[in-house]
Amino acid sequence: MLKPIRIKFLCLLFIIICVVAFFISNRSPSFNPRPVVPEVCPRSVSKQSITPLKNTKHLLVSAFMDQRVQGFDIRLIGMFRRDSIQELHCFFCCANYTSETTPTKVLQHSDNFGFPFVTTDIMCRIPKKCNATHVTLLTQTRPMNGSENIWLPIRNKKTNGGAEERMDFTVCVSNLFGDYNNVLQFAQTLEMYRLLGVNRVVIYNTSCGPDLDRLLRSYSQEGFVEIVSWPIDKYMNPSRGWRFSEFGGDIHYFGQLTTLNECIYRSMERSRYVLLNDIDEIIMPYQHDNLKSLMDELQKQHPNVGVFLIENHIFPKHHFEPSGRFHLPKWSGVPGINILEHVYREDPDRKIYHPYKMIVQPRMVEQTSVHEVLQFFGQQYKVPLDVCRIVHVRVALRKLLKLEELNVDKRLWDFQEKLIPHVDKVLENLGFLNDSG
Ligand SMILES: *[C@@H]1O[C@H](CO)[C@@H](O)[C@H](O)[C@H]1NC(C)=O
Ligand SMILES: *[C@@H]1O[C@H](CO)[C@@H](O)[C@H](O)[C@H]1NC(C)=O
Ligand SMILES: *[C@@H]1O[C@H](CO)[C@@H](O)[C@H](O)[C@H]1NC(C)=O
Ligand SMILES: *[C@@H]1O[C@H](CO)[C@@H](O)[C@H](O)[C@H]1NC(C)=O
């Protein structure tokens, strides 16, 4: 029989052995007796904007350097299946060799509208001494022997020197899908953006109509429009609506929330402001000639604000300005809406939720939704209506309003002298104009 004192001693010994074993097993992998042979990297870099993550149901989109949150260096943006969230590890390509892995924090965005897939940020650290160029995620702490990794380039690495482009305003237009072919409104809107001082328009393209395709190609060749191909329908059944219970499908509006976030990060190191609005919306200053003078003044008044909320105002497309002044015959063969003909503005129904769109400083935003930011640094500010609002020509929202109940608003006409020749030039080059014009 063992004496009680002996039993106590053995127990203590056992605990000590366990603790020591625990510490040894948790030491950095470089102490492991059988290190995995470092792989030369990156052998295979993703060339797609959507990359399936091996051994999971998730999709990766982009990886960015982001050191704004303490304890992290990297933010990957992805579309994750909410029912299959699992532990993941960042795996790095350091200039030309692979490093050990680092733990991740997986942050699902709060806006999922009931859909199975949600925009997700994966945060992690870069290992010491690693000059990280590419990153991927693993489901284990080690790469599997022989498995091929698909690497994502790490973007927004600060390069010394100033070769980088600096822009004031980037418009992030989320997704183009279906056979949207609204050429005239598109051309007018893009030229309006240009007159207002926008430097770049980023558009995520799943699909579009044939004429709009031609127009977009021409804008993208010239460099004003940046097209990101967005073949989300190859990976899931994206919804055409905003709420799962009503529309079904795998993700909200063709992944709009993911593309808006991706666009903010894409623009973070190169654009002072980002405008988050749809392609049929124009964020319009009513007291300034352009966005630069608007934002210079707003920012001076509100130095700590990084998110400016702009109210959306609908100009119903079935009410036409009666004189027909801008009903130009040369545009009659161009598919789409002529925004200059629609000058009647609805007052929003203030009894119900009224959506805003936003001008943000990308460096002050962490996560965004469509009508509000979800996580941000600094403050936000609702811009007064007489200073700035959104001109949005579309089907009426308040269908019961009579013409007399609408406001006449000809703000767009203030730009017609330049706008019309600019639009003509683009349409002419592509052969859209009627000869009679
Ligand atoms: C990886 O697998 C190959 C063959 O499958 C083997 O020759 C090699 O030694 C393995 N390497 C490690 C580090 O296990
Ligand atoms: C890191 O790698 C990049 C690309 O390979 C290289 O241009 C850069 O000089 C490296 N930086 C350091 C500090 O080694
Ligand atoms: C990795 O880079 C180092 C330093 O630039 C170089 O000496 C080495 O040969 C490279 N290794 C491979 C496998 O390319
Ligand atoms: C948009 O995507 C569709 C489908 O892949 C493609 O046919 C079309 O050419 C693309 N348009 C542009 C301007 O990239």
Side-chain angles (χ1 to χ4, degrees), residues 239-307:
S239 181
R240 288 169 178 261
W242 69 276
R243 188 161 49 186
F244 178 70
S245 57
E246 206 173 320
F247 299 93
D250 286 330
I251 198 165
H252 168 273
Y253 266 135
F254 280 72
Q256 178 190 27
L257 295 169
T258 310
T259 57
L260 288 180
N261 280 278
E262 209 268 350
C263 191
I264 285 185
Y265 282 86
R266 175 183 289 260
S267 310
M268 203 167 273
E269 295 297 322
R270 66 183 194 195
S271 189
R272 203 163 148 229
Y273 292 102
V274 167
L275 286 67
L276 299 167
N277 57 261
D278 287 344
I279 189 57
D280 53 0
E281 296 169 338
I282 298 167
I283 293 188
M284 176 67 88
Y286 274 70
Q287 295 175 4
H288 302 80
D289 292 339
N290 54 57
L291 292 164
K292 176 126 180 30
S293 50
L294 167 74
M295 292 316 292
D296 283 351
E297 182 168 331
L298 286 180
Q299 202 71 77
K300 206 185 304 159
Q301 291 164 2
H302 309 280
N304 300 322
V305 170
V307 176

Side-chain angles (χ1 to χ4, degrees), residues 36 143-147:
V36 175
M144 302 255 267
N145 186 10
S147 81

Side-chain angles (χ1 to χ4, degrees), residues 185-196:
Q185 183 167 10
F186 216 107
Q188 289 176 330
T189 303
L190 287 178
E191 292 305 331
M192 242 348 276
Y193 290 162
R194 215 190 312 243
L195 288 175
L196 291 173

